[in-house]
Amino acid sequence: MSTVFGEQRELGDLDLEDRHALRRVAGLSTELQDISEVEYRALRLERVVLIGVWAEGSLASAENSLRELSRLAETAGSEVLDGLIQRRARVDAATYVGSGKARELAGIVAAEGADTVICDGELTPSQLRRLESIVQVKVIDRTALILDIFAQHARSREGKAQVELAQLQYMLPRLRGWGESLSRQAGGRVAGGGGIGTRGPGETKLETDRRRLRARIARLQRDISEMSTGRKVQRGRRHRREVPSVVIAGYTNAGKSSLLNALTGAGVLVEDSLFATLDPAVRRAETPSGRVFTLTDTVGFVRHLPHQLVDAFRSTLEETAEADLIVHVVDGSDPEPEAQIAAVRGVLAEIGAAQVPELIVVNKIDAADPVVLQALRARDPGSLSISAKTGAGLAALRDAIEAALPKLDTHVRIVVPYRRGDLVARAHADGEVLHAEHVADGTLLEARVPPGLAAALEAAALTPAVP
């Protein structure tokens, strides 16, 4: 059964007009704004036609997905010429949109002068080959497009390695060869007399390429594992000091980096662009009462985020799974914020972060529809509405973060020797100091601190706790 506009229909009873038509999605033609943008895009400009399959949900949802694909294509540096949707019960196993519609798509591609077709889904290797043979231009899918954007935006050594790993894992099953005619090794006497069992066509170019890809993948996995060690050490130090960790997660372009800057003055890159942030940024922040915690900006998520990317970035995303609180930023101005929330929660579950406490923060309320905001509040009564751009609601967000952090539940009243001033400093940084007074033997300290710090204070004390 499929629900379309609130009506229950059998998939076989789809309207004939819907099934026999390619719907053109309005407003998907790229318009370059100024000469500088033209000069930038001339470096890798491609003229693309988008194609999607509406197999479930509403037409509005299918069109929003294709509009998001259009933004992804433009972020990758392409010029979008047209966007089309076919109504089908399911994706065609051979050519994605069916052979007849594929030939119709070929005519549209030729008429528009396009050089690339981008499909709003992940294609199997056979679908990719057959569709390319019909439309006679390059065909890529949503996964390849996202991987291309990540490759353009990666800056750090680890980020570049993670993206390359994801690309190679995607590419491995899609390599194409020409069979035995490209053998690199010859059998028998020609190859130096390898003897029985070594004669034959030998290793083809395709097999050689696959072997090299597997070797490169293994090397990248080792490199990423080594590079993640430093981040684990830093995380371990914060855990030992019991500094709470807060992670900003959310859909791409929801305003996560803007929120990090607004809360900490970090000055990280902010762009009105998809996947502008790939490398996590960790900054020191304080609650209104002065308690220190770390605030981490993470890579944005998106619908149908490629599994290759999730696997490659798993070492980076571990920061999210081990956090004390996830500030889940939602773009309130998006046409389907509920779909954003579902997509982000799906990825959080995939990386093992579903059990971490979550605070929904609806951003961009200065540009959002009040009716949409009201619906989001009704769905998540504990959510907050803010604008990182104008600063509206940030004070309430700081209070909410402080309330959600792990409690400081150990009360100490103790004399700390002067030579252990570092512990007094930790009490000020990681706890709540109620009273501090210099006495003959050291500092008389009364505070609420984490259990680990309380044990360290007790061990270092010259005198027992003061009653």
Side-chain angles (χ1 to χ4, degrees):
M1 298 290 286
S2 175
T3 304
V4 183
F5 300 117
E7 297 178 4
Q8 296 288 333
R9 301 183 183 179
E10 293 289 338
L11 290 178
D13 296 334
L14 299 176
D15 291 342
L16 189 64
E17 182 181 353
D18 283 341
R19 289 187 285 117
H20 286 272
L22 284 174
R23 293 178 179 270
R24 184 167 270 106
V25 179
L28 292 188
S29 177
T30 301
E31 295 182 5
L32 303 182
Q33 300 298 321
D34 53 42
I35 187 63
S36 63
E37 193 175 357
V38 173
E39 290 172 350
Y40 168 74
R41 294 195 177 187
L43 297 175
R44 50 181 297 110
L45 186 66
E46 294 186 11
R47 295 164 59 83
V48 305
V49 171
L50 312 179
I51 182 71
V53 171
W54 169 25
E56 59 183 5
S58 66
L59 174 60
S61 178
E63 290 184 344
N64 285 333
S65 180
L66 206 68
R67 289 191 178 95
E68 181 177 86
L69 186 70
S70 175
R71 289 202 62 198
L72 289 168
E74 291 173 0
T75 300
S78 300
E79 179 188 1
V80 179
L81 303 177
D82 210 344
L84 308 161
I85 293 177
Q86 185 194 10
R87 179 62 165 136
R88 290 181 59 88
R90 62 186 64 83
V91 169
D92 186 82
T95 55
Y96 183 68
V97 291
S99 57
K101 288 297 171 287
R103 288 190 291 271
E104 188 177 337
L105 175 62
I108 295 172
V109 167
E112 294 286 352
D115 51 37
T116 305
V117 170
I118 304 179
C119 298
D120 191 18
E122 183 167 339
L123 303 182
T124 65
S126 61
Q127 287 174 327
L128 191 66
R129 288 194 296 269
R130 289 172 181 170
L131 190 56
E132 272 191 353
S133 68
I134 296 174
V135 299
Q136 294 296 302
V137 295
K138 180 173 68 176
V139 175
I140 64 174
D141 58 17
R142 186 185 184 96
T143 298
L145 177 60
I146 294 174
L147 290 173
D148 183 80
I149 296 171
F150 270 60
Q152 292 182 53
H153 287 184
R155 294 292 179 266
S156 70
R157 178 168 169 259
E158 184 177 11
K160 290 177 180 178
Q162 289 168 323
V163 172
E164 183 183 355
L165 174 61
Q167 287 180 313
L168 294 181
Q169 289 173 332
Y170 171 81
M171 189 187 305
L172 184 60
R174 291 169 174 80
L175 282 180
R176 306 181 195 183
W178 296 97
E180 297 179 356
S181 63
L182 291 179
S183 294
R184 294 290 182 88
Q185 303 170 359
R189 295 184 178 133
V190 178
I196 296 173
T198 63
R199 287 182 283 267
E203 186 178 43
T204 65
K205 180 180 182 299
L206 178 61
E207 292 165 344
T208 304
D209 290 341
R210 284 176 177 162
R211 177 168 49 81
R212 289 175 176 170
L213 277 187
R214 291 190 184 100
R216 180 61 179 164
I217 287 172
R219 175 62 185 272
L220 286 170
Q221 288 172 334
R222 288 194 300 269
D223 290 347
I224 291 171
S225 178
E226 292 172 0
M227 285 184 281
S228 67
T229 301
R231 190 170 49 253
K232 290 179 180 177
V233 169
Q234 293 176 347
R235 202 158 55 230
R237 288 173 182 166
R238 294 197 297 267
H239 285 322
R240 283 194 297 272
R241 291 189 59 193
E242 296 180 323
V243 177
S245 171
V246 177
V247 167
I248 302 175
Y251 212 75
T252 180
N253 208 35
K256 299 181 297 300
S257 298
S258 297
L259 180 58
L260 178 70
N261 289 342
L263 292 176
T264 67
V268 300
L269 171 69
V270 173
E271 288 184 6
D272 184 16
S273 173
L274 303 184
F275 301 115
T277 301
L278 293 189
D279 301 311
V282 183
R283 295 294 184 270
R284 179 182 184 274
E286 291 187 5
T287 65
S289 66
R291 187 180 181 189
V292 173
F293 64 96
T294 60
L295 195 60
T296 304
D297 184 19
T298 60
V299 61
F301 303 142
V302 71
R303 294 180 185 90
H304 313 302
L305 188 68
H307 293 292
Q308 296 90 345
L309 277 175
V310 175
D311 290 338
F313 278 76
R314 190 170 295 277
S315 61
T316 301
L317 295 173
E318 286 174 356
E319 191 86 26
T320 305
E322 297 183 13
D324 296 299
L325 174 67
I326 294 175
V327 174
H328 181 168
V329 182
V330 181
D331 183 356
S333 65
D334 188 82
E336 290 187 313
E338 293 89 355
Q340 284 194 3
I341 294 173
V344 171
R345 285 177 172 168
V347 178
L348 291 177
E350 191 172 349
I351 62 175
Q355 304 304 317
V356 179
E358 176 192 48
L359 176 62
I360 295 288
V361 177
V362 182
N363 191 24
K364 304 184 183 180
I365 59 173
D366 52 307
D369 185 342
V371 176
V372 174
L373 293 179
Q374 185 176 0
L376 287 173
R377 291 191 196 101
R379 169 183 170 144
D380 291 284
S383 65
L384 296 176
S385 299
I386 69 160
S387 172
K389 180 179 180 181
T390 66
L394 291 183
L397 175 58
R398 290 188 176 96
D399 292 337
I401 291 175
E402 181 169 28
L405 293 180
K407 302 302 179 185
L408 302 172
D409 52 3
T410 303
H411 182 274
V412 296
R413 181 176 171 84
I414 200 166
V415 176
V416 183
Y418 285 123
R419 61 184 172 79
R420 294 309 308 268
D422 60 310
L423 291 177
V424 177
R426 281 184 59 188
H428 282 279
D430 303 342
E432 181 182 358
V433 175
L434 305 176
H435 177 74
E437 178 184 345
H438 296 299
V439 296
D441 297 327
T443 303
L444 173 60
L445 184 69
E446 183 179 4
R448 283 196 293 267
V449 295
L453 179 53
L457 287 167
E458 293 279 0
L462 289 177
T463 60
V466 177

